[in-house]
Structure formats: C-alpha cells, structure tokens
Amino acid sequence: MKTINVVELFAGVGGFRLGLERYNKNLWNFIFANQWEPNKKVQHAFNCYVNNFGPENVNNEDIAIAKEKIPNNVDLLVGGFPCQDYSVAATKAKGIEGKKGVLWWEISWILKHKKPKMVLLENVDRLLKSPSAKRGRDFAIMLFNLNKLGYDVEWQVINAADYGMPQRRKRVFIFAKLRECFETAVMFDDEQTLEEINESSVFSTVFPVVEKSSTKVKQMEFSSQFDDELDITENYNGGKFLTKGFLINGDLLEYEIEVDPNFNPERLCLRDILQNPDEIEEKFYLNQEQLKKMKELRSAKKRERFKPNGEPYYYSEGRMNLLDNLDRPGRTMLTSESSLNRSTHLIQTLDKNGRNRRRFITPIEAERLNCFDDDWTVSITSEKMRYFCMGNALVVDIIQNLADQIERVYDELIVNLKINQNNIKTCDLEEYDV
Ligand SMILES: C[S@@+](CC[C@H](N)C(=O)[O-])C[C@H]1O[C@@H](n2cnc3c(N)ncnc32)[C@H](O)[C@@H]1O
C-alpha cells in the first residue's frame, strides 16, 4: 500500500495534518511532528496536537534542537513558519551564517540534511514584499536558498474566502520538489499560454486563477545573478514578488493573479458558521462597557506619536463598521481574538429568547472559521489560548484540497534513484555554511 512519509514542523494544533488526513487518513505516515511555543511553561498547542493525534512521533522541543531527531526518509515536509528577517551575515570563522533563532535557517538545515522530496510551506502574504526597507529581499533569499538545495519551487497567494471557505485569510503557499527525484523540469516556453501554465500548477489546478490584466509576466534568470545568500542580502533590488510564480532550475516566472471568475463554489459566510443560540453562554454577549470600548476602537482616529528620534508623526486609523457583516466571510482571525481590540469579531444575532444582541464569537465559531472540527481545541483549558491557537492556525480545507495534488506529484517520483547508506536520496549539493 502506498504511504507518504510526512514531517510536520511548527505544527501548532495540527492544521496541516488534519487537512491531509481528511483527504485520506491511510495515505500519510506522520513520522515526526514538532511543536514548541518559545518561553511557555504550558505547551497548549502541543498538548492539543497530542490530544487529537496521540503522542506517537510528536516532539515538544525547540526545532533548533529537535531537527537532529528527524528521520531520514521524508517524502513530504509541511509547516507554517513565522515571517522573519532571513538575511545572513558573513563571519570570519564560519563563512555565511544565518541569524540565530531565525526559523528559515532551521528549515534550510533540514532540507539540506534530510532531503524531503516535497515541501509545502505556508506564510503570511507579506513575505513576498518583506522587509519594507528592501521589498522582496527575504523571499529572494529563501528562493535562492531552495534552488541551491536542489528544489524547484512554486508559490501562490490564496485567500480562503475566494474559494468558498468562511474566512478572508490570505496566505502564501509554497510548494517545492527535490529536482533529482523527478523528471527534469523545464521552464515554460514562450509558446505556452498562462492557461496551460496554470493547469500544470499544483495550486491553481485546485484554486483556479487568471492573470491580472494590469500586470505583465516577469521571466528571468534569477539564481545565477547572485553568488550566495550574502550577495542577495546585500544586493537584491528586484522589488516585491508577484502573487504567483515558479522557480525552475533557478529561473523565475511570476505574474499577478486574480481568482478565475468562472470558479463559483458555494460560498460560506460568517452567518453559516454560527452556533445555535441555545448553545451560546451569556458571557459572550457584550456588556455596556465592552460595547463602549468596541465603538471607540472601531472609530476613526488620528493620534500623535513619536519616532525613536523624538520626531512627532500622526498615526491614523479609518472607521470600521461596529458589527461584522454576517453575509460575508469572516475577517482574518488574529491570535488576539480573545481580547477586546479593533480586530476582534463582533456580531449581532438573535439570542435564545429571540432578542437581537451583540456578541463575540465563541471558541467553536473560531474553529469553524478555520474549518477545524468543533471542539478541536477543547482540551485547552484556557479559553484565551483556544482563540490564540486558532489565530495561529490555517484554514484546513486549503490543505485538504491540495492533498490530491500532492499525491499526484508523489506519483511522479522517480522510484529507482540512488539511495545512500543513510537511506537518503543522494544529491550533489555544494557544501555551504548556513
Ligand atoms: C504559524 S503557527 C503554525 C500553526 C499550525 N499550522 C496550525 O495549524 O496550528 C507557528 C507555530 O510554530 C511554533 N514555534 C515557534 N517557534 C518555534 C520553535 N523554535 N520550535 C518549534 N516550534 C516553534 C509556534 O508555537 C506556533 O505554534
């Protein structure tokens, strides 16, 4: 029977695993999962993961330590990691070195030493234009690094709500294949239409897109322009990356996308994921003080603030509707959902006595916004942490839909590759220090 060995990094409460297992529980063998919340005594997300999937092969250490324990025969590595500054520095003793604590360099180490054949990563879409002082540099470093490690890459920004899911959550998904394990890929040629390119894409096969009419396709040699990660860190000036792209054999093709207007799923809205009024505890309804505070938070503001050098500047925020529209998908859920802030969801619905009242969303509704099962996080005794974990998680149905494509790619694997004594597919990569 076919099984795909999976490693889940930065596993949180297991959104990737749940999505893959919903597609086909028997297809995947989770050989290692890692989740560790830095500087926290109680490991809520880890405990929740174990509660749902059991303790087998689940690790609760800093990935910087745990990475050595990852088995060698990884077919698929998945994970949602934080968007950080990926720049590198050169030190006399060690050559190029990534900054300590920067999680990309842990992933990079794992790719180099464990050589997963396929990789699926998720991040905020801001990654494509970070940092603000040098737009696109961080993603450029990451792409360069992936190419150097032998991977071809594809990415696409996906807003879950555009494809029928109940939350407007826009994330960039990145899929990479280890070149040596697959038929030699070629960059698309001029004859190919974007429609044909989209059809061969892991992402747009499931999440269909069209090219945004106002932008041009960019195609160029990319990796050969730079000597190493340090060169990119210091000299990249290509600007932000577009919302869909490919890096094949170090050459780049990218374009700005829109959702295919012919794609017409049944759309879920906030109203569709609400619990029955009988199930809503009184504490979720707003009192006068909370209402006053929410009105103030969502009003337009202009405030004087000061730069580190003491220079004043004005910070302004526009007015937001007090109530979230029940007939649209929910706004992006943040880790701060449990606290009273501008982004907290606030809805008006009938209570169990038929009265129209304003309330916050419940932990179950937070789970439903991300397409998790009801009470997925019920083992987390702190309600605040249930919302926090959902703010960190992804929309599970995205992964469930992509699973079919991952299986398709896996089926293209060249099976008779050389295997070395550590059971790793061999790969002639240049040694490097990062
Ligand atoms: C964006 S969340 C991923 C959430 C996950 N996809 C889910 O569905 O719940 C990133 C996770 O990485 C974890 N993390 C942060 N630093 C870590 C480290 N050094 N080692 C291991 N995990 C870490 C965080 O605790 C958080 O749960």
Side-chain angles (χ1 to χ4, degrees):
M1 199 177 64
K2 175 170 71 180
T3 47
I4 300 179
N5 287 341
V6 188
V7 166
E8 185 173 18
L9 300 181
F10 314 107
V13 295
F16 274 97
R17 181 161 179 178
L18 180 61
L20 293 174
E21 291 195 347
R22 270 193 196 155
Y23 169 75
N24 178 354
K25 197 164 183 335
N26 300 321
L27 180 60
W28 321 97
N29 178 18
F30 278 78
I31 57 174
F32 193 84
N34 171 263
Q35 163 55 35
W36 179 71
E37 181 69 33
N39 311 317
K40 285 276 154 49
K41 213 167 157 197
V42 185
Q43 292 286 316
H44 292 288
F46 169 80
N47 294 340
C48 173
Y49 189 101
V50 169
N51 188 61
N52 284 297
F53 296 112
E56 208 185 334
N57 304 335
V58 192
N59 173 289
N60 182 216
E61 293 170 302
D62 184 343
I63 188 62
I65 298 162
K67 65 187 179 202
E68 310 261 1
K69 300 179 184 165
I70 296 176
N72 285 333
N73 50 343
V74 190
D75 295 317
L76 171 68
L77 179 115
V78 295
F81 60 107
C83 177
Q84 294 170 301
D85 181 334
Y86 302 150
S87 61
V88 293
T91 63
K92 268 199 189 132
K94 294 190 173 165
I96 294 177
E97 241 195 321
K99 254 199 245 158
K100 209 168 175 253
V102 174
L103 298 172
W104 172 255
W105 302 118
E106 304 301 347
I107 298 176
S108 176
W109 185 96
I110 295 163
L111 300 186
K112 183 181 177 199
H113 293 272
K114 307 293 170 180
K115 298 186 174 33
K117 296 158 198 92
M118 302 179 286
V119 182
L120 177 64
L121 303 170
E122 177 244 11
N123 211 309
V124 290
D125 63 331
R126 178 166 44 84
L127 171 65
L128 300 178
K129 50 184 182 193
S130 295
S132 54
K134 216 179 213 185
R135 293 276 178 221
R137 183 207 62 187
D138 286 348
F139 195 59
I141 295 172
M142 199 174 139
L143 286 179
F144 181 87
N145 190 231
L146 280 164
N147 176 62
K148 181 164 160 177
L149 292 166
Y151 287 87
D152 284 335
V153 190
E154 161 179 0
W155 74 91
Q156 182 171 317
V157 172
I158 300 171
N159 183 348
D162 285 340
Y163 297 96
M165 293 161 235
Q167 188 186 168
R168 283 172 270 162
R169 198 172 182 90
K170 212 192 233 185
R171 292 289 184 264
V172 58
F173 288 83
I174 302 154
F175 181 75
K177 300 195 288 197
L178 190 56
R179 267 194 294 273
E180 66 169 28
C181 297
F182 296 88
E183 292 282 353
T184 318
V186 282
M187 189 40 107
F188 308 102
D189 59 46
D190 296 343
E191 312 269 287
Q192 267 165 311
T193 62
L194 280 185
E195 250 177 352
E196 285 167 333
I197 293 174
N198 286 334
E199 274 166 22
S200 70
S201 145
V202 164
F203 296 120
S204 44
T205 312
V206 209
F207 300 112
V209 292
V210 292
E211 184 194 355
K212 204 171 182 172
S213 49
S214 55
T215 53
K216 288 223 172 70
V217 176
K218 279 203 226 165
Q219 189 159 4
M220 60 173 175
E221 284 180 20
F222 174 75
S223 297
S224 58
Q225 282 187 54
F226 303 96
D227 296 337
D228 53 27
E229 287 81 353
L230 182 64
D231 186 17
I232 282 219
T233 298
E234 291 176 346
N235 300 318
Y236 178 78
N237 61 6
K240 69 169 188 178
F241 284 81
L242 305 184
T243 41
K244 182 168 179 69
F246 300 82
L247 185 77
I248 298 178
N249 292 316
D251 292 340
L252 193 68
L253 172 88
E254 46 168 351
Y255 45 103
E256 206 75 61
I257 48 167
E258 279 170 358
V259 179
D260 185 342
N262 297 320
F263 183 78
N264 191 15
E266 281 187 22
R267 280 164 193 266
L268 287 176
C269 294
L270 203 43
R271 188 186 298 287
D272 302 313
I273 58 104
L274 297 185
Q275 281 187 268
N276 192 310
D278 291 342
E279 298 165 356
I280 310 297
E281 290 176 56
E282 188 54 34
K283 66 180 180 191
F284 294 109
Y285 292 99
L286 267 76
N287 59 34
Q288 283 308 315
E289 204 179 308
Q290 288 168 322
L291 181 60
K292 193 170 154 222
K293 181 90 180 134
M294 279 308 279
K295 280 184 177 165
E296 145 73 13
L297 285 164
R298 292 205 168 168
S299 63
K301 286 174 221 66
K302 192 172 177 190
R303 295 220 166 98
E304 193 177 26
R305 292 207 175 154
F306 296 92
K307 295 182 183 170
N309 64 6
E311 205 183 304
Y313 69 98
Y314 281 94
Y315 169 80
S316 59
E317 283 178 330
R319 192 184 81 83
M320 260 177 97
N321 287 339
L322 177 66
L323 296 169
D324 284 280
N325 186 342
L326 294 180
D327 296 314
R328 289 192 70 193
R331 282 172 303 101
T332 309
M333 191 171 22
L334 307 180
T335 48
S336 58
E337 180 68 38
S338 73
S339 68
L340 215 60
N341 69 73
R342 203 170 143 83
S343 303
T344 312
H345 289 83
L346 182 58
I347 56 174
Q348 182 161 316
T349 53
L350 296 181
D351 70 4
K352 61 180 177 212
N353 300 316
R355 279 192 303 154
N356 230 336
R357 292 172 70 192
R358 290 163 182 149
R359 67 168 176 86
F360 301 112
I361 60 167
T362 65
I364 287 185
E365 288 163 346
E367 289 160 348
R368 289 181 184 174
L369 275 177
N370 272 337
C371 306
F372 275 81
D373 298 350
D374 282 5
D375 275 335
W376 186 259
T377 58
V378 76
S379 62
I380 301 178
T381 46
S382 149
E383 204 155 71
K384 184 174 166 207
M385 291 312 294
R386 290 185 71 180
Y387 291 105
F388 179 87
C389 286
M390 278 301 118
N392 251 342
L394 45 67
V395 180
V396 175
D397 282 11
I398 292 191
I399 305 303
Q400 185 178 349
N401 288 333
L402 286 173
D404 173 52
Q405 286 299 304
I406 296 169
E407 184 181 9
R408 177 184 65 77
V409 174
Y410 180 81
D411 289 341
E412 290 167 8
L413 261 173
I414 302 168
V415 281
N416 58 352
L417 282 173
K418 266 195 291 174
I419 308 235
N420 71 13
Q421 71 273 28
N422 294 323
N423 200 25
I424 304 182
K425 304 242 147 117
T426 54
C427 174
D428 295 326
L429 286 176
E430 228 181 281
E431 280 299 307
Y432 75 117
D433 302 320
V434 170

